[in-house]
Structures are given as structure tokens and as C-alpha cells.
Amino acid sequence: MPVAGLPSPAIQANKDGSVTVNYVPTQNGVHELNLSYNETPVEGTAFRVTVDSSDGRFVSAYGPGLVQGICGERLHFFVAKGGPSQDLDITVDGPTKTEVVKKEEKPGLLTVEYVPLGAGEYKISIKAKGKHIQGSPFSAKISGEGRKKSQLTVSTPGEYVLGGQDVDLTGMVAWMKTPLSTIEQCLLKKMPNGKLAIAAFQPKKKGVYSVDVTQDGMKFPGTPFQIQVGDSELSSSAKVKATGALKEGTAGKWNDIIVDISGAGYGTLGISMEGSHRPDLTCKQADILTRKNEYLLQYRPPEPGIYLLNIQFANDHITGSPYMVNVGGKPSGNVRETVTQEIQAPKVVQPGQKCQLILRIPGATALDMEATLSSPSGVSDVCEIRDEPDNAYDIRFTPTEKGLNVVSVKQKGIHIAGSPLQYSVGATPAGGSHKVEFGGSGAERGAVGVKNEFNIYIREAGSGSLSVTIEGPSKADIQLTDTNTGFITVSYVVQRDGEYVIGVKFNDQHVPKSPCKVQVDPECEEAKKVSIHGLRDRGLDVEKPATFTVNFNGVQGVLKGHVTTPSGSVDSLFIQEIDNELNSCRFLPKENGVYYVNLKFNDAHIPGSPFPMLIGKLGADPAHVAAKGPGLEAGQVGAPSRFLVTTMNAGAGTLGVIVEGPSKVAVACTEADEGYEFTYTPSAPGEYFVNVKYCNVGVAGSPFKVIVTGSGRGSDIRESSGLYVETVEKKPGGSKSRVFHGDASKVHVQGAGLKKGNLGRPGTFNIDLKEAGQGLLAVAMISPNGLPVKDLTYKKQKGTAYTVSYLGEEKGDHYLHIRWGINDVPGSPFIVTVQ
């Protein structure tokens, strides 16, 4: 990299909407040129240019074709020169013979193109008068055709804790001033311990970073936060070390890599791997106590071949990345089967027209099912449900309003996969692969030798080609049945147990949640004889044990089980034999929502497993939540995009917004009369998808596809930014509730009256709320007889200072409780001895 003190580039306006940038290098090596417009990075930058000299004339090479690419595609790079083209010798050597095409489109600039026909590492030699230029030969990593990519992000090393206690992110906005005096919005998150943190802190310059946090227009306690960044905190991908299976791996097995970020500062770790088959990726801290700066990265490629592994820290490749990994081992022998069907655009439905949806739900009964239609104005009507042969259900309804209606389908009070469903009335659906929903038991688990079924809701996707692919240990017999109501029923039969991958594509693009993995159980007649007793699917409370029994009914085998919580984590299921062939099962629920109890006998699910159990009260209903606004359709780089999520009549719950796209975005939320308004600011153009979830269930129409225009440099991996807020119940005619945000830990209490008092004489102490924000001050004192003291008052003195006075009429220990908001202040409850 050039050192400090070198001449800056000269920028000249051409008066035609373009500019010319001139830079005269004065030393050899790799130069990096960053361009920005109104403090926003220009798309395609930074440029990395390798500069060398030949007879006093500089020669430089740059472009993506010097680094990586995909076989079969035309790749290019550029060579800037001060001499004639005939003095240059350019060759590309690799696994296949490659032809090089040179074009001199501008004086002094040579465009070089080549097409690699096979995967592997290619050496690109650039010589000037017979001598390699700086950096030559270059190494380009080429991945295979039809690449399939997996990626993950580890945000932990990029989190910076600011403070606070049990924070609420509603109405909270943060802006950071960098050492260069630029101002940018921060992405905030709530840590597991309730503290406020910056979700992705990646400083590139030394100095002081000032973070200003406001909530509902008021300063957050402790703001502005001053972050001093030195050499040890500075984001540096060059200091990240990776060791392990970086060059060679084994198919079908987990291959380990240790990523050491010691001394690399703050930054998010991004990993992606691509090849002819999609590999599995995991990453976790090696040891949180002894090796907290080391991460264990594991990858498992399903088939042998050439794979490309990218490891980035703070959006920059670490030294050596991307890595070309030669995966050996034996082929899995998996068989892939694909079925395609052309889908016609649905007919436009008008208000008053009778409509129906037909779908299959194995194992359900008509008494378990319920469905409602919600109009754009919020009016809900119960749908008619008819029980049809082969586990089919015919849902009938008559919409009365134009616009986006919502159909919610529930089984035993719980939304089925994909519900609530968007249903357009009076207009043609917007269309697109992101509007396809699929789900059902066959997309979650399967069994050998029987029909495994799931549903695809395709009505809102428009016309196009639908394909379903199943790959696994045996060939899948796939059948697609069009119900002509907007649902496609998929059934498949396989002959061997094991892990299968289901892919659903629309117009050659994966739909949301695709691909997904399904574990197919072996055929087990014994499992069908096992029965479950005493399992209550509702009416249970949090923090109270849920128990039931399992009877083997004369068969022999091993019973295993686990519980999936509403937040998606897996908890243990305690199983104990209490009698011959009779087992007791127990788990302790710790959150409200739907739990799923998975029970297997000899590695096969028993009938009905997994069993849904509603813990607590499900007061919130995602069917009544809607998202609307221009920020769900289009956006501009550097400009805030806004949309509103209405929660009227939906109850109180957790509202989550996740934005996925070429760049991270700072998501902010403010409360409105109808619900909650969200804003996000993209920094790179491209396609973004906004996912809106309520109580962990996607709302109708989610995800929303947003096209962002403008200029800026996008990330090499797909970035994800999210914000979760706890909502309050909204009712028609109500107004926005006033929420106070205070920090009880910043309340200062002092005075002699906190420790002892005199019988019949007033005792006093002082409370200072200067740095505690806003909240409700509550003071209570209980006498030894268990009743409140007769006289207790507090009076404001000046500013945020208060004086509290009490009168003790009974000897002994009195308990003094002081709360700010819902939390006790430090030291509360105090024990005051009255003598």
C-alpha cells in the first residue's frame, strides 16, 4: 500500500456528468484507490492496482480476472502501460488450455480477456520486456460450473457494548462521528444481558469515535459514548490467521479450520464457500474461556471437486483468501430427481366472487382446522372448511374488498407452515419467486416407502416455471398435483433412509426457505405401535413442568426425544422409565409460544411426532399484522427507506424486521398510532429482501423485494441486518402509548436515613436522577409488622434532585424499596433500623 505523504489523486470534472481521476504513482507495489461521492462509496471501488516500472515507465495491472471467477465465463482484467503493447507478454496457465485475447481500447490501456474451461488455480503471467511486473504471476481461483454457495456471518467480534440495562430499541437511533468527521448511522442490537450494543463496529481509522444515541428524541443515558480506537482495536484483516483444511478437504466429512482474530481489532467475520454442490458451514468460538479470539470454522462438502472458500474480516479478505480447496474422498452416490411444471397466471378475482383454496395436511381432522379471511380494512370473516379425501381440505370464502386480503389457516390454534397467506383481489398479483410459500410435514421430515407430502402456495407468484428437486440416498418418485386454486401439492416416495435436500425454484430462482434438508426415517413397524398419553397441547404455563407418558405396547426398542422452543433452539426432553414399557417424559418451558416435542422410537418418528404444545397464552396473531410503504418497493443508496407495520388488533408480541442484501443497513424503529414505522438506509445498489415477522411467524406478503438504485460498493457476501422490538397492544381509536426509557443503575441515593432512623422522628435521604433518563419513581417502606409506614413523602428540590421523608412508629428493621421504572435502584431494598 502507498505510504502517507504521497500525492493525492487529481479529480477533474468533464462537464458531461463524468470526472477524470489522475494519479501518478511514485513507487512499486499494490495501490488501492477508493472513490466516494457525498461520503458514499462509488460502486466498483476500491480499485487494487499493482504498479511496476519498465525503463522508467510504470506498468500496472488490475481487475477481477486476476483474482477469481467461474469456469465457462468470460473474465477480464486491465494492464495500464507507458510503452508499446508489443513489449508485453501475457499468458494464462491452468488446468485447461486457455486462449488470451488482448484489446487496446484506449491509448495506454490494454483490456485482456480469457475464458477458463475448467475449475482450479490459474497462473497469469504479465511480463514487460521479458521481466515479470510487480505481483506477476497472479493467481486466479476459478470455481466450477453451476456453483452453489453457502455463507454465514459471525457478528460477535464486531459487537461493541455501550451500556444501559434491559434496553428497548423502539424509538432508538444512533449516529457515529468518525475521526475523519464523517457521520454515519449505526446498527444497534440488544445483547442477551439486556445491554445496548453496536451490532457491527468495524473501525478503519485510529482516533475517537463518538456515538450519539437518542430514544424518542431524548438523549440516551451516557450519550455521547466515546470510543478510543488504537492499533489493537483497528479492524485489520491482515492480522487474521487461518490454519487447517484450507487447501484440501474430504467430501462427506467435517473439515476444520481455526480462524485466529487476535490483534485484528473489531470486525464481523464473513465466510462463504461455493462449488458444484452446496457445502454445509458452521462456525463457533473454539473455547470461550481459553481461546476466546479463535473460531472453529467447519465445512462439509457433499461431493468431491474444486471449491472456493472466502474468509473476510471487516468486509476485507484475509491474507490468502479466496482459497482454492481441492476436496477429495468418495462420491456420495446421491441421486437427484427434478420435476418441472408450467404455471399459468391466476385469474383476477373480484369482490363478491366465491373463492377456494385446496391443500393437504396429513394427520389433521376437520375439527382441528380453522381459517379466517381478513380484508384490507381489517374486517375478519370465518371461512368454510370442507373435509375432502386423501387428507385434503377445501377452504371457501368470499372477499368483499379489493386489495391485499389475508387468509390464515390454523391447525389446533397454530398457523400452518406458510400461513398467513396473501390473497390479491381486484388486481393481478405482483409476481416473483419471493412470493412462493412452501411447507408441510413432508418438507420437515419423511419416512421410507410412504407418500411424504407438502404444499406450495404459488398464486401470488404469477406465471412461470415451477421445479421441485429432491436429492438424496435414493431416487425420489415425485408427483406434482395442481389443485387450480393457487396450491400445488407435492408428494414423494423414497426407498432409503438418510438426509435428503429439497429445492423449490420458480423461474430458476430459489424461493424463500429453499433449499431445505429433510431427515427421512427408516421403515419401522414398531414405532407405529408406540402410543403417547396425557400430552396437553394447550393450557400449560411457563416455568411449570410439562409431563406426559409413552407406552411401548409390547414392542422393544429405544426411545429418544428433544423439544424445539418457540425461538428455534433445541432443549432436552427428560425420559425416565417408570414401569415396564411405560416411560415418563418431562421438560420445563421457559417462554411463551409453540413448542414441538420430537419423539423417535428406533430412530423413527412415532405417529403424530413432532407434537405441538402451546405454552402460555398466544395473545398475538400475525394474521392481523400488515406491512406497507415505499420502503418495501424501491430505494436509493444513501437515502432512508421507510415503511409502516400496522399491528392493530394483533395483540402484543415480538416484531422483527430483517433486511438482506448487498450491504448492511442501520434499521431504526419508532412507534406510530397504527403500529411501528421502520427506516433503513442501504449503502449499495441491488436487490434487497425485507422480512417482517411477528412472534416468529412471517406476515402476509413477506419477504418484500426492494430494488435499490444508485452507486456504491456491495459486499461479497449477502449481508443481513435485523431489529426486534417488543410491541404494545394497539386498538382502534387508541393513540400512541408514551414509553419512558430510564436506567435505574444511574440513580444515586444517599443520606443518613438510608441506614437508621429514630422512633417518632422523621428520617430523610436524597435521590438524584440526573443521568437516569426518564421513568416512574416509586418509593415504598414496609414496617416490621408487614404494613406500609404511616407517613412517607418525597419532594422535588431542584433539577433532578428529590428529598424523601419518612416517619417510623415501630422499632425494628424496615424495608425501603426504591424503583426507577420497573427496576430497583442500586442497593434497593435498603434495610433501615428504627430505634
Side-chain angles (χ1 to χ4, degrees):
M1 290 292 196
V3 296
L6 292 182
S8 299
I11 303 176
Q12 180 180 355
N14 298 327
K15 298 182 180 180
D16 61 356
S18 66
V19 296
T20 299
V21 181
N22 291 296
Y23 177 72
V24 180
T26 57
Q27 68 178 92
N28 299 341
V30 179
H31 293 239
E32 184 174 284
L33 178 63
N34 293 273
L35 299 178
S36 61
Y37 182 71
N38 286 340
E39 300 180 357
T40 301
V42 175
E43 183 179 7
T45 62
F47 299 107
R48 294 178 66 88
V49 183
T50 303
V51 177
D52 201 357
S53 59
S54 176
D55 293 337
R57 296 174 176 176
F58 278 91
V59 181
S60 60
Y62 63 95
L66 293 175
V67 182
Q68 66 186 80
I70 305 171
C71 70
E73 293 188 1
R74 188 174 298 276
L75 309 178
H76 68 275
F77 59 90
F78 305 96
V79 179
K81 57 193 176 47
S85 297
Q86 53 265 33
D87 292 341
L88 293 174
D89 180 26
I90 303 174
T91 60
V92 178
D93 296 316
T96 61
K97 184 178 179 180
T98 306
E99 182 181 356
V100 177
V101 178
K102 295 183 285 186
K103 302 176 184 177
E104 189 164 5
E105 298 176 345
K106 295 181 181 180
L109 182 65
L110 191 68
T111 301
V112 183
E113 295 181 344
Y114 68 99
V115 180
L117 300 178
E121 187 171 11
Y122 286 72
K123 297 294 183 181
I124 302 173
S125 297
I126 304 176
K127 295 181 180 180
K129 291 188 175 181
K131 176 188 174 184
H132 280 286
I133 71 169
Q134 183 81 19
S136 177
F138 299 90
S139 177
K141 314 294 175 57
I142 307 300
S143 63
E145 296 181 54
R147 64 175 184 173
K148 294 178 174 59
K149 187 175 183 178
S150 298
Q151 70 169 52
L152 57 85
T153 301
V154 182
S155 61
T156 307
E159 296 169 349
Y160 187 92
V161 177
L162 298 174
Q165 183 178 357
D166 195 25
V167 297
D168 179 6
L169 298 179
T170 307
M172 194 173 290
V173 180
W175 295 92
M176 177 188 292
K177 185 177 181 181
T178 70
L180 296 178
S181 296
T182 59
I183 297 177
E184 55 191 46
Q185 193 173 356
C186 297
L187 176 63
L188 299 174
K189 71 175 296 183
K190 182 179 180 180
M191 300 296 287
N193 60 4
K195 293 186 178 296
L196 179 68
I198 300 174
F201 184 50
Q202 302 181 146
K204 298 296 180 72
K205 295 288 184 181
K206 291 191 294 185
V208 177
Y209 290 74
S210 180
V211 182
D212 189 76
V213 183
T214 60
Q215 189 163 36
D216 295 331
M218 304 292 292
K219 294 285 187 181
F220 185 78
T223 193
F225 299 93
Q226 304 295 325
I227 306 174
Q228 181 67 48
V229 173
D231 289 329
S232 60
E233 294 85 18
L234 202 64
S235 298
S236 176
S237 61
K239 294 181 180 179
V240 178
K241 308 297 180 185
T243 57
L246 294 168
K247 294 184 178 180
E248 294 183 347
T250 304
K253 295 183 179 179
W254 288 106
N255 301 269
D256 296 352
I257 296 174
I258 295 295
V259 181
D260 187 354
I261 62 170
S262 302
Y266 287 96
T268 298
L269 193 61
I271 300 130
S272 66
M273 193 173 191
E274 58 190 66
S276 57
H277 290 74
R278 183 175 282 102
D280 295 325
L281 283 178
T282 66
C283 189
K284 60 183 179 181
Q285 247 174 321
D287 191 314
I288 197 169
L289 295 176
T290 62
R291 296 188 294 170
K292 62 180 181 180
N293 291 321
E294 291 186 0
Y295 288 83
L296 173 63
L297 165 63
Q298 295 180 303
Y299 65 89
R300 184 176 63 178
E303 303 290 346
I306 301 295
Y307 290 78
L308 200 63
L309 174 64
N310 294 275
I311 304 178
Q312 292 181 309
F313 185 77
N315 294 334
D316 293 324
H317 282 277
I318 71 171
T319 304
S321 176
Y323 299 94
M324 185 65 66
V325 184
N326 185 7
V327 175
K330 296 180 180 180
S332 66
N334 281 350
V335 181
R336 179 182 296 182
E337 185 71 12
T338 301
V339 175
T340 303
Q341 184 166 321
E342 294 300 318
I343 304 298
Q344 301 298 320
K347 295 180 180 179
V348 177
V349 172
Q350 299 297 337
Q353 186 176 337
K354 293 183 178 180
C355 306
Q356 66 177 151
L357 297 173
I358 298 177
L359 67 162
R360 290 183 183 174
I361 307 178
T365 66
L367 296 176
D368 296 335
M369 306 296 297
E370 61 179 287
T372 57
L373 173 70
S374 299
S375 68
S377 64
V379 178
S380 296
D381 288 322
V382 177
C383 303
E384 179 186 358
I385 300 179
R386 297 184 180 184
D387 197 349
E388 301 289 340
D390 297 326
N391 300 312
Y393 293 89
D394 185 355
I395 301 172
R396 302 192 176 195
F397 52 92
T398 303
T400 58
E401 296 181 27
K402 288 185 176 181
L404 296 179
N405 289 251
V406 176
V407 180
S408 61
V409 184
K410 297 181 180 180
Q411 181 183 1
K412 293 184 177 180
I414 301 168
H415 282 278
I416 67 168
S419 175
L421 303 166
Q422 184 175 310
Y423 199 93
S424 299
V425 177
T428 303
S433 61
H434 62 290
K435 292 299 182 183
V436 178
E437 296 270 3
F438 79 98
S441 59
E444 300 167 357
R445 62 193 181 281
V448 169
V450 299
K451 275 189 178 183
N452 304 286
E453 297 177 324
F454 62 92
N455 302 291
I456 302 177
Y457 183 62
I458 203 150
R459 182 183 186 274
E460 299 295 307
S463 61
S465 177
L466 174 70
S467 65
V468 177
T469 299
I470 300 180
E471 181 177 354
S474 67
K475 180 181 177 181
D477 181 10
I478 309 172
Q479 291 186 351
L480 304 185
T481 303
D482 191 347
T483 65
N484 296 314
T485 65
F487 270 104
I488 302 287
T489 299
V490 182
S491 66
Y492 65 93
V493 180
V494 295
Q495 302 304 324
R496 293 180 60 185
D497 63 297
E499 186 178 79
Y500 288 75
V501 177
I502 298 177
V504 180
K505 288 185 177 182
F506 188 73
N507 289 338
D508 281 334
Q509 291 186 332
H510 277 287
V511 307
K513 302 181 213 174
S514 173
C516 66
K517 292 185 177 180
V518 174
Q519 184 65 39
V520 174
D521 296 335
E523 188 174 7
C524 182
E525 290 297 325
E526 291 84 358
K528 299 177 182 178
K529 298 179 180 179
V530 176
S531 58
I532 187 169
H533 305 276
L535 188 145
R536 297 169 59 192
D537 56 13
R538 63 193 65 203
L540 301 168
D541 295 324
V542 175
E543 298 293 346
K544 291 186 178 180
T547 61
F548 55 91
T549 59
V550 177
N551 197 323
F552 288 1
N553 296 319
V555 296
Q556 299 295 318
V558 178
L559 180 67
K560 296 179 181 179
H562 66 270
V563 178
T564 304
T565 70
S567 57
S569 62
V570 176
D571 279 356
S572 299
L573 179 68
F574 182 71
I575 302 175
Q576 183 179 21
E577 184 176 0
I578 58 176
D579 199 356
N580 186 29
E581 299 183 357
L582 189 64
N583 289 261
S584 172
C585 301
R586 181 175 74 252
F587 71 94
L588 184 66
K590 296 184 178 180
E591 57 181 305
N592 283 311
V594 180
Y595 285 72
Y596 288 91
V597 179
N598 293 262
L599 284 172
K600 285 188 174 184
F601 187 81
N602 290 345
D603 294 327
H605 277 281
I606 70 173
S609 174
F611 301 92
M613 298 178 67
L614 177 58
I615 304 297
K617 293 183 179 179
L618 202 60
D621 190 350
H624 294 289
V625 179
K628 57 185 178 181
L632 297 177
E633 299 172 0
Q636 183 72 28
V637 169
S641 297
R642 291 181 169 83
F643 63 92
L644 177 69
V645 179
T646 59
T647 59
M648 200 71 70
N649 294 322
T654 302
L655 174 60
V657 170
I658 304 96
V659 182
E660 298 177 344
S663 69
K664 278 192 174 295
V665 299
V667 185
C669 172
T670 56
E671 189 180 354
D673 290 342
E674 296 179 77
Y676 297 82
E677 184 182 57
F678 288 85
T679 61
Y680 64 95
T681 305
S683 59
E687 289 184 351
Y688 289 76
F689 289 91
V690 180
N691 292 271
V692 182
K693 293 185 175 182
Y694 203 61
C695 296
N696 211 32
V697 176
V699 306
S702 178
F704 302 89
K705 183 178 179 180
V706 183
I707 303 298
V708 174
T709 57
S711 60
R713 182 187 178 188
S715 173
D716 292 336
I717 64 174
R718 190 166 190 80
E719 299 284 4
S720 179
S721 311
L723 181 68
Y724 292 85
V725 296
E726 295 297 329
T727 68
V728 295
E729 190 171 1
K730 300 281 185 177
K731 293 289 186 181
S735 60
K736 183 173 68 173
S737 62
R738 181 75 188 277
V739 180
F740 296 101
H741 305 282
D743 186 350
S745 66
K746 298 296 178 64
V747 177
H748 297 283
V749 185
Q750 59 184 1
L754 286 175
K755 296 182 179 180
K756 62 181 180 179
N758 295 314
L759 188 66
R761 295 174 57 183
T764 61
F765 59 89
N766 300 313
I767 301 177
D768 191 353
L769 309 172
K770 184 177 181 180
E771 299 177 349
Q774 301 172 314
L776 175 67
L777 178 63
V779 183
M781 194 172 195
I782 302 175
S783 61
N785 62 18
L787 299 175
V789 295
K790 182 178 180 180
D791 190 3
L792 176 67
T793 60
Y794 68 82
K795 182 183 295 185
K796 185 175 182 178
Q797 298 300 319
K798 60 179 180 178
T800 57
Y802 292 78
T803 296
V804 181
S805 175
Y806 64 87
L807 183 64
E809 296 184 321
E810 184 179 352
K811 288 184 179 181
D813 290 341
H814 291 59
Y815 286 86
L816 174 64
H817 295 261
I818 305 175
R819 285 188 174 183
W820 182 237
I822 62 173
N823 298 311
D824 283 305
V825 306
S828 176
F830 301 89
I831 299 178
V832 182
T833 302
V834 175
Q835 298 176 340

